[in-house]
Each structure stands twice: as C-alpha cells, then as structure tokens.
C-alpha cells in the first residue's frame, strides 16, 4: 500500500514529500525514489496533533524527526499496524471513559451530599456553634428583612409612638415573663411588625417578629403568648440557624463561623430562607411541646396557641372559598405568601396534642382587659389595610 505524507528528518529543516510503503515495516520514499527511512511499526510513537492530523516519530531515531499524515485512510492503516499507537489510543479511550465516569460519580456524590450530607452536617454542627454565631446570623437577617418585607405605611416596627406606647408596654410584659421562664443564653427581642398578614417569625439569636395581623386575630393575651412561646422554642432549638445552614451548605456555615455574614447576597439568601422557613413536623411538634411547658411555667393557658391556629385555619379556608367564587384564586396565593400557617401543617392534630398536654386551665389571664386592649392597638387603632 502506497500513500503520501510529509517527512522531517530531524537533521535539517527541509520538508520532504514522501510516499509511504506499508509492508512489514513503514518505508518512507522520497520523490526521487530514494528510501529516506524505514520505521519498524513497534518503534512508532504518536505525538500531540491537532484534529485531522496524525504526527508520528520513531523511538530511537533523531529526536526532531517526524512524519505528518492527513489522509484518513492512511492514518487508520498506520494506527492498525502500530501496536504502540493502538495501545495508546485504547488507553486514551479508557482514560476518557474514566474521566466521564469519575465526573458522573463526583456530580452524584455532590448531589447526595447536598440532599443527605449537608442536612446531617447541619444537624450535628448547629448545637456545637457558639450562640454568638446565631446572634450574628439574626442581626444580618434582620437588616435584610426590614428592607425586603412588605409592610404598611410607617416604620417597620410598632410601639414607638405615644399612642402605641401602652401596647409596647403590654407586649414587653408578656415577653419579659416568657423570656425569664425560658432562661436562654441570648435575650429575646420581639418586634411587632406593621403588617396585616397573620404571621410570626423567629430569627436565630433571639429576634422574633410578631405581625400586627396575627395580634389583631387574637382574642386574648394567652393566644399571643402561646405564639411567642412557640417561636421562642424555635430560638431555643436553634431551628432557624439549622434551616439556614441546611439551605446554604458548608460554605455558608464557614462564613458564619468565621464572621463573614455581611455579604449582600448571603444575607439576602438567609433572610428569604428564614421568611419562607418550613420546619419539619418533628421540629413543629417539639416547638409546640416547648410552648406548652413554657406557658404552664408562667401561669398561662397553653390552649391559646391551638385555639388561635384553628381560627386562622378556618378563616383561611373561608377566604379561599370566597376567592374561588370570585374567580380570584391568585388573591389567596398573594396573601398566603407569608402566612403563618404555611409552615405549620396538621392544625387539628397539633391542637389535640396541645390540649392533651395543657393541664388545668388557669383562672387569671396573663394580661388584664386594659393591657390586652392596648396590645391590640400596638400598631395603631385604624383597621389594617388589605395586604394582598
């Protein structure tokens, strides 16, 4: 078999157009018919080449000698005859397969770690973190939430004005009793939020948001105290920190441990994670149990939490039915974006468990009628605007 190639003898810079004779060995014949070289197939090695070109050299020959082939049929024929080239080609194919397999394995490992490893790591690491980490997380989230959370006109928090001061005093009284009984290593700081959505959120480190919409839904102080006790439980169990670390992964964890929590993207991510936090059923059950115990310690009625949740659930169902009649299901969706019930499923089961653990009903409410009336107007006396 004869074909053509380009040969450089490695001794001069001259380019030789050669005919190749593929016999027992590869013979390189110049245009004048003179045999320029004979390469045993066992000595042929492939060099790095661009696509469409096979560049060869001979082991034991001049270091710079090389043969360049562009004809696809000739390239295939030489490769089949040269054992070393065939072996190298097989190794490269095997190496490529290994790279692909290892890549898939790496991706699968990362996916499994994200699904199983990160939550398990967060579960184990969170109780070991200093409470100062929770406080840094809470402070960073608080700064962002105050900017991204929709509220009615006025300041984010209620209770600063003269007419709202009595309500702030009543809330402080409730919070003080709950905080003293809880005895956490971080202070509990409750902000009444100027929003008509019935919601409450616990941030890491002891910060709690109590929305005006939920305050106005309450029929007595024990119902509000029950909600606060439940949110204090999330602080005590460090559920917010755990949920944030599970969502953010190990890099997020290192950032908080090292104190790097001020980055805008990370802080916004954390804030939205906490706003939309959906805790597990076990976490909610544990928080309810803690709330019952805390309410009993301060002489309050633990049943208030279940009663308020039941009422909110019923109102939500009625509003959903009304929206469907009007052909406006999206109205409910907007209202439920931060709804307190969104992360608190199975209300009937929860109320049953709360009532069973509540014990005897106290005879005296946590706040008298005047203090409770003041608390109800902590964000002003006007009816809340529609927050949909």
């Amino acid at each position: 078999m004869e074909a053509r190639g380009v040969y450089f003898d490695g001794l001069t810079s001259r380019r030789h157009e050669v005919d190749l004779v593929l016999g027992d060995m590869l013979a390189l014949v110049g245009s004048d018919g003179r045999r320029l070289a004979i390469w045993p197939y066992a000595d042929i090695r492939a060099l790095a080449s661009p696509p469409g070109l096979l560049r060869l050299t001979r082991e034991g020959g001049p270091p710079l000698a090389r043969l360049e082939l562009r004809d696809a049929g000739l390239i295939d024929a030489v490769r089949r005859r040269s054992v070393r080239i065939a072996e190298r080609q097989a190794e490269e194919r095997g190496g490529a397969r290994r790279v692909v397999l290892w890549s898939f394995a790496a991706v699968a490992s990362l996916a499994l770690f994200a699904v199983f490893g990160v939550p398990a790591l967060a579960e184990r690491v969170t109780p070991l973190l200093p409470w100062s980490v929770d406080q840094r997380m809470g402070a960073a989230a608080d700064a962002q939430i105050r900017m991204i959370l929709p509220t009615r006109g006025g300041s984010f928090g209620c209770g600063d004005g003269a007419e709202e001061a009595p309500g702030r005093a009543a809330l402080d009284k409730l919070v003080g009793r709950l905080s003293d009984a809880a005895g956490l290593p971080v202070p509990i700081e409750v902000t009444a939020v100027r929003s008509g959505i019935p919601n409450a959120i616990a941030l890491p480190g002891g910060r709690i948001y109590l929305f005006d919409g939920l305050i106005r839904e309450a029929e007595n102080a024990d119902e509000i105290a029950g909600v606060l006790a439940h949110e204090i439980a999330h602080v005590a169990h460090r559920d917010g920190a755990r949920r944030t670390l599970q969502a953010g992964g190990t890099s997020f964890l290192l950032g908080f441990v090292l104190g790097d929590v001020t980055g805008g993207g990370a802080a916004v991510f954390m804030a939205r994670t906490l706003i939309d936090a959906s805790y597990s059923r076990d976490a909610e059950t544990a928080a309810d149990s803690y709330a019952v115990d805390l309410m009993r310690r301060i002489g309050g009625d633990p049943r208030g939490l279940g009663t308020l949740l039941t009422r909110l659930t019923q109102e939500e169902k009625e509003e959903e039915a009304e929206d469907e009649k009007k052909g406006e299901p999206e109205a409910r969706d907007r209202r439920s974006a931060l709804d307190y019930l969104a992360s608190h499923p199975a209300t009937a089961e929860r109320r049953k468990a709360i009532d069973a653990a509540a014990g005897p009903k106290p005879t005296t409410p946590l706040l008298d009628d005047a203090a409770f009336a003041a608390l109800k107007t902590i964000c002003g006396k006007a009816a809340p605007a529609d927050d949909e």
Side-chain angles (χ1 to χ4, degrees):
M1 177 180 180
E2 295 185 10
R4 297 193 65 80
V6 177
Y7 173 58
F8 298 88
D9 59 19
L11 302 175
T12 67
S13 59
R14 183 180 174 186
R15 170 192 176 99
H16 299 276
E17 296 285 343
V18 295
D19 293 317
L20 275 64
V21 180
L22 280 66
D24 294 337
M25 292 186 290
L26 179 63
L28 285 60
V29 181
S31 58
D32 58 359
R34 185 168 56 93
R35 186 172 292 180
L36 300 180
I38 297 177
W39 287 5
Y41 292 112
D43 294 343
I44 297 176
R45 303 287 183 271
L47 301 173
S49 309
L53 173 68
L54 177 61
R55 186 175 288 132
L56 304 173
T57 189
R58 178 191 173 187
E59 188 176 89
L64 299 180
R66 68 183 188 275
L67 174 65
E68 296 182 351
L69 308 177
R70 294 186 179 276
D71 182 84
L74 179 59
I75 290 174
D76 185 59
V78 172
R79 280 177 170 167
R80 287 200 307 270
R81 285 170 170 77
S82 175
V83 177
R84 294 292 183 87
I85 294 179
E87 289 177 349
R88 177 64 180 273
Q89 191 174 13
E91 290 176 0
E92 290 176 350
R93 286 197 297 266
R97 284 195 295 269
R98 285 192 293 272
V99 169
V100 172
L101 290 174
W102 278 111
S103 298
F104 276 118
V107 172
S109 298
L110 289 174
L112 289 172
F113 182 72
V115 174
F116 300 105
V118 171
L121 179 64
E123 189 70 35
R124 291 177 178 273
V125 169
T126 300
L128 304 178
L129 294 176
W131 277 92
S132 59
V133 174
D134 291 59
Q135 290 178 300
R136 288 201 299 270
M137 293 172 72
D142 177 72
Q144 290 298 324
I145 290 175
R146 288 174 180 270
M147 291 190 292
I148 65 178
L149 194 66
T151 57
R152 296 197 305 270
S155 62
F156 178 86
C158 307
D160 296 332
E163 69 173 11
E164 298 175 352
R168 180 74 250 182
L171 179 60
D172 288 344
K173 181 178 180 180
L174 275 184
V175 173
R177 295 180 66 177
L178 289 165
S179 181
D180 290 344
L184 298 183
V186 291
I188 299 300
E189 178 183 338
V190 178
T191 299
V193 179
R194 206 176 298 278
S195 170
I197 298 173
N199 197 14
I201 302 173
L203 307 186
R207 298 171 188 255
I208 295 173
Y209 295 146
L210 181 65
F211 287 51
D212 184 38
L214 192 144
I215 295 173
R216 293 177 185 273
E217 292 283 353
E219 295 183 353
N220 56 67
D222 292 64
E223 291 183 355
I224 296 176
V227 170
L228 291 175
H230 179 93
E231 298 305 322
I232 290 173
H234 285 311
V235 175
H237 299 160
R238 309 179 81 169
D239 291 331
R242 183 180 296 105
R243 178 71 182 87
T244 301
L245 297 181
Q246 288 172 344
T250 53
S251 60
F252 214 58
L253 171 61
L254 292 174
F256 285 116
V257 171
L258 298 175
D260 181 19
V261 297
T262 57
V268 171
F269 170 82
M270 176 179 58
R272 294 195 178 280
T273 297
L274 293 169
I275 289 175
D276 299 329
S278 179
Y279 300 120
S280 67
R281 185 172 296 245
D282 288 343
E284 292 298 344
T285 299
D288 285 345
S289 178
Y290 183 102
V292 169
D293 180 65
L294 188 58
M295 288 291 289
R296 291 178 65 177
R297 273 187 271 166
I298 66 171
D301 185 6
R303 296 174 183 80
L305 173 61
T307 302
L308 179 57
L309 289 176
T310 301
R311 188 160 60 252
L312 290 174
T313 301
Q314 183 59 38
E315 290 179 0
E316 184 182 25
K317 290 179 179 179
E318 292 174 357
E319 289 176 4
E320 180 179 0
E322 186 65 25
D323 288 339
E324 289 178 353
K325 288 181 180 179
K326 296 178 180 178
E328 299 177 351
E330 68 278 2
R332 174 190 174 267
D333 293 339
R334 289 194 302 271
R335 187 177 190 277
S336 298
L338 296 174
D339 195 294
Y340 187 62
L341 301 174
S343 60
H344 297 68
T347 301
E349 295 178 14
R350 293 177 63 198
R351 182 175 183 178
K352 182 177 180 180
I354 291 171
D355 290 348
K361 186 173 183 178
T363 57
T364 305
L366 292 175
L367 294 179
D368 59 31
D369 292 342
F372 178 62
L375 177 55
K376 293 277 284 185
T377 59
I378 189 173
C379 291
K381 296 181 180 180
D386 189 354
D387 285 280
E388 294 180 1

